[in-house]
Amino acid sequence: MTLTSQLTRGEVEPGAIWPNADFSRVPSKVYTDPDIYSRELDRIFYGRHWNYVGLEAEVPEAGNFKRTAIGERSVIMIRNRQGEINVLENRCAHRAMRFCQEKFGKVKTLVCPYHQWNYNYDGKLLGVPFQRGVRGNGGMPEDFRLEDHGLPTLKVARRGGLVFASFDNDVEPLEDYIGPAVLAYFDRTFNGRKLVVQGYSRQRIPGNWKLMMENIKDPYHPGLLHTWFVTFGLWRADNQSQLVMDERGRHACMISTRSEVVDPEVTKGVTSFRRNMKLNDPSLLDIVQEEWWNGPTVCMTTVFPSVILQQQVNSLSTRQIIPVGPDKFDFVWTHFGFENDSDEMTERRMHQANLFGPGGLVSADDGEVIEFSQQGFEQDQDFTTMCELGGTEIGNADHMVTETLIRGMYRYWREVMDI
Amino acid sequence: MTSNFQDLASLIALHAEYAACIDEQRFADWPGFFTEDCHYRVVARENHEAGYPLAIMSLKGIGGLQDRVYGVTSTVFHAPYYQRHIIGLPRVTACDGDSLSVEANYLVIRTRRDMLSEVYNTGRYIDRIVRTKMGLKFAEKLCIFDSELIPNSMIYPI
């Protein structure tokens, strides 16, 4: 029986495509199969999960909106007159028009240009032209009620300046969803200080969306792939580090502290380590310790399924994952600082951004390796990954030489996907 | 606002040489087009228009450019690709002694191994070009790209 027919019948036997009882082997189809992807959209992105939509600072005043997407559904984050933030589906109740085409803006009402159906900031339909007809002719039926035809409104949660939304009203509170262990690190950055947007980077990566989640649950690669991390100690196997998961294994933090002294054991044979590499512009690494770090120089947080929260020395960003098919996703970086940052600190954050993003001296190659992993999965559909670094167990760790966080994510993924 | 015909001819030649240098991947020569204290930036149009400071690359001085070249040629893993720059005619928007403000549209076609050629990045250069004893040099080069999505990564300079 093919996987496709199993899935469309909705009766996938757990283990039918999964080769092992544990989580140390992930089959190619998990990254390539359109039916699995479609189930992910339904159960994960449109299901009982919180998805990142943006920063409160992006919609400072009533009527300010930002258009973004959850899974493949276009949504609008908009602030109302009470100062609340709503997330509305960008789909007119009349002819399904994705009426909002600008990415940001400020409006008096949301109007679908096709027939001028008009919605307020809460998504309520305010009126439709010719509702009562013209000169006694036509118009909407007697029982037409404006209140039955609003825009779909999502459940919204805000914390520390970030906005999350869910298509499922019964989703647990955001704090319970993230869980206390990861929430502590979330709050370390987003502790109520006002955030300031510093700009966006947008890239389309031809790979399955989970590969980006895996990339930031994989502490093994940064000290090998990324010369700049290894050489300058920003991420290296001898750094003091911690891996922390929520109870269900879906979210995680990779926390580490930069070491200036190099342990020869971890650079031996690592070709990306360049002992004599010197910067011509040393200001790139003009790192200034900030009080709120409380030690760690880096904290990379994955909030399943849609966002990565980056603190890497002075560079801060949210990285949103928007899947556009099983084999590609858009990756949207929102760089930010804090309201009280000095001009020098803003400049420093921006200068360090040379390491990150689609052109980053570090992050550019993450997109590249994801693309080539995807190509490998496509060419060998019977392949399974090897994910046994640190054994087959799932648990927190105080070192980097483990893939435990990836196994943790797949334990949860199998549970929610019933695969 | 245009200076004179000789200036215009020199600017066209500068752009032609610049494109040839990058497209032929003579990256070690690339910093030579700039002044010692130059500023080179590649910025998304949306950030430029909103006044956001973020850049895809923001390199200061010849040293910053040299670090990028080292990164591109020696450290950043990526699929190899060719670039082909098509640079439009220069438009001189201001001329102040030895400093010229110049804009030009650009189009970069990317060709990866085994792949079809594709429009990779398009936008406009906003340059401040100065006359030096060594000829015209970029004191500031701002690449403002319209492209809404970068096709995976941006490795080489634009």
Side-chain angles (χ1 to χ4, degrees):
Chain A
M1 185 182 293
T2 67
L3 179 72
T4 304
S5 63
Q6 287 170 354
L7 279 174
T8 44
R9 283 173 43 220
E11 292 169 8
V12 180
E13 272 178 52
I17 65 156
W18 209 271
N20 287 19
D22 64 32
F23 306 92
S24 66
R25 297 284 189 280
V26 183
S28 283
K29 286 189 167 66
V30 166
Y31 305 96
T32 60
D33 189 275
D35 294 305
I36 289 182
Y37 172 68
S38 158
R39 185 183 282 205
E40 286 178 329
L41 288 178
D42 286 342
R43 295 193 179 191
I44 296 174
F45 289 94
Y46 313 146
R48 205 160 286 177
H49 294 83
W50 285 107
N51 289 275
Y52 173 86
V53 281
L55 308 180
E56 289 187 33
E58 294 175 296
V59 289
E61 293 169 15
N64 276 137
F65 71 85
K66 171 196 179 180
R67 176 174 55 76
T68 180
I70 295 177
E72 296 193 2
R73 293 168 85 156
S74 178
V75 298
I76 303 163
M77 168 170 86
I78 187 164
R79 195 181 285 269
N80 71 12
R81 289 185 212 289
Q82 291 75 49
E84 298 157 340
I85 291 175
N86 292 313
V87 177
L88 313 169
E89 188 158 12
N90 182 18
R91 187 275 278 143
C92 182
H94 183 214
R95 286 282 202 281
M97 278 256 299
R98 267 188 188 178
F99 58 88
C100 178
Q101 292 292 317
E102 284 294 345
K103 281 193 291 204
F104 298 94
K106 189 170 188 179
V107 289
K108 290 201 171 72
T109 59
L110 293 163
V111 182
C112 175
Y114 198 174
H115 305 90
Q116 293 178 27
W117 284 36
N118 194 9
Y119 305 90
N120 74 5
Y121 303 153
D122 298 323
K124 290 202 171 68
L125 182 61
L126 296 173
V128 305
F130 310 132
Q131 186 179 344
R132 313 239 175 270
V134 176
R135 296 192 193 116
N137 295 320
M140 287 294 184
E142 283 293 311
D143 61 356
F144 176 83
R145 287 154 37 94
L146 292 172
E147 50 268 44
D148 293 339
H149 300 278
L151 297 174
T153 57
L154 281 72
K155 188 151 182 160
V156 174
R158 294 152 68 168
R159 190 175 178 90
L162 267 60
V163 185
F164 291 82
S166 177
F167 279 100
D168 190 330
N169 240 330
D170 296 327
V171 65
E172 65 200 299
L174 179 69
E175 288 71 16
D176 297 347
Y177 178 77
I178 296 177
V182 174
L183 197 64
Y185 287 100
F186 182 102
D187 290 346
R188 172 176 167 273
T189 307
F190 305 104
N191 65 359
R193 292 170 288 183
K194 208 168 168 201
L195 309 179
V196 179
V197 176
Q198 293 173 331
Y200 302 92
S201 294
R202 301 171 195 270
Q203 60 190 132
R204 176 159 291 178
I205 299 180
N208 183 270
W209 66 274
K210 294 185 296 299
L211 292 170
M212 185 48 85
M213 277 280 148
E214 289 182 28
N215 184 266
I216 308 296
K217 290 176 186 286
D218 164 14
Y220 183 33
H221 86 277
L224 297 167
L225 176 65
H226 303 312
T227 295
W228 297 69
F229 275 1
V230 192
T231 303
F232 299 116
L234 296 170
W235 191 279
R236 202 167 52 212
D238 57 338
N239 289 4
Q240 188 195 351
S241 54
Q242 264 188 299
L243 306 178
V244 175
M245 269 178 281
D246 70 310
E247 276 185 357
R248 304 182 76 175
R250 46 192 177 183
H251 322 300
C253 302
M254 305 200 300
I255 306 126
S256 179
T257 304
R258 182 187 184 204
S259 50
E260 310 264 0
V261 190
V262 183
D263 177 346
E265 196 200 341
V266 303
T267 51
K268 196 174 153 198
V270 174
T271 55
S272 50
F273 177 71
R274 308 286 162 85
R275 186 174 309 279
N276 298 319
M277 178 172 163
K278 289 268 183 298
L279 290 176
N280 293 299
D281 173 18
S283 72
L284 182 66
L285 293 174
D286 168 32
I287 294 159
V288 168
Q289 178 93 19
E290 297 178 63
E291 208 170 306
W292 61 270
W293 294 358
N294 293 319
T297 54
V298 50
C299 178
M300 299 297 302
T301 304
T302 41
V303 179
F304 188 83
S306 67
V307 74
I308 292 153
L309 308 172
Q310 170 208 332
Q311 179 233 330
Q312 177 46 284
V313 284
N314 301 112
S315 178
L316 303 166
S317 74
T318 65
R319 309 177 183 176
Q320 184 183 10
I321 295 171
I322 303 175
V324 279
D327 57 356
K328 51 183 169 297
F329 62 96
D330 290 348
F331 201 39
V332 181
W333 302 62
T334 305
H335 284 253
F336 63 89
F338 303 114
E339 191 179 36
N340 293 332
D341 284 347
S342 64
D343 291 347
E344 291 74 22
M345 183 53 85
T346 299
E347 173 64 25
R348 183 176 293 114
R349 296 198 201 288
M350 292 299 94
H351 206 38
Q352 290 176 18
N354 279 303
L355 295 167
F356 306 104
L361 290 165
V362 171
S363 303
D365 33 22
D366 285 325
E368 296 280 306
V369 296
I370 285 174
E371 179 170 357
F372 308 136
S373 276
Q374 185 71 24
Q375 289 173 356
F377 293 130
E378 301 280 357
Q379 83 177 30
D380 186 355
Q381 294 282 331
D382 296 324
F383 175 81
T384 56
T385 63
M386 162 72 184
C387 191
E388 257 183 42
L389 196 70
T392 57
E393 302 302 307
I394 296 168
N396 293 347
D398 56 4
H399 62 86
M400 294 181 183
V401 204
T402 174
E403 288 161 334
T404 184
L405 303 180
I406 298 176
R407 292 189 290 273
M409 180 175 79
Y410 282 105
R411 184 180 64 190
Y412 177 74
W413 185 89
R414 288 192 62 188
E415 182 189 319
V416 70
M417 291 287 287
D418 196 17
I419 283 175
Chain B
M1 192 61 76
T2 185
S3 41
N4 58 46
F5 194 76
Q6 182 55 48
D7 278 347
L8 201 56
S10 305
L11 291 170
I12 291 169
L14 177 70
H15 279 153
E17 291 299 329
Y18 182 86
C21 174
I22 299 175
D23 292 348
E24 291 166 16
Q25 307 203 335
R26 288 184 277 112
F27 296 123
D29 297 339
W30 175 64
F33 285 87
F34 293 82
T35 62
E36 196 59 44
D37 59 350
C38 63
H39 197 180
Y40 171 84
R41 301 176 76 222
V42 180
V43 177
R45 179 172 178 161
E46 67 171 322
N47 291 335
H48 179 68
E49 292 184 350
Y52 292 134
L54 183 68
I56 294 290
M57 296 176 219
S58 177
L59 311 175
K60 283 182 204 157
I62 295 273
L65 271 63
Q66 287 166 337
D67 289 342
R68 180 77 198 180
V69 168
Y70 180 74
V72 165
T73 54
S74 306
T75 75
V76 179
F77 170 73
H78 62 277
Y81 62 97
Y82 300 125
Q83 290 197 121
R84 185 65 52 197
H85 282 69
I86 314 293
I87 302 178
L89 289 175
R91 171 173 165 249
V92 180
T93 56
C95 180
D96 178 15
D98 283 337
S99 172
L100 299 159
S101 298
V102 182
E103 298 187 9
N105 290 341
Y106 71 82
L107 172 68
V108 185
I109 314 267
R110 178 175 77 170
T111 309
R112 282 176 152 189
R113 307 290 187 267
D114 310 318
M115 302 291 278
L116 301 172
S117 299
E118 59 186 342
V119 173
Y120 175 60
N121 193 269
T122 187
R124 119 186 110 118
Y125 293 127
I126 302 179
D127 299 331
R128 196 166 62 75
I129 297 170
V130 294
R131 289 182 237 269
T132 73
K133 276 180 264 174
M134 306 288 287
L136 295 177
K137 302 282 179 193
F138 296 107
E140 289 168 18
K141 189 166 192 65
L142 185 54
C143 316
I144 308 289
F145 59 93
D146 297 339
S147 312
E148 285 278 310
L149 289 168
I150 290 172
N152 201 344
S153 61
M154 183 176 285
I155 311 293
Y156 305 139
I158 294 289

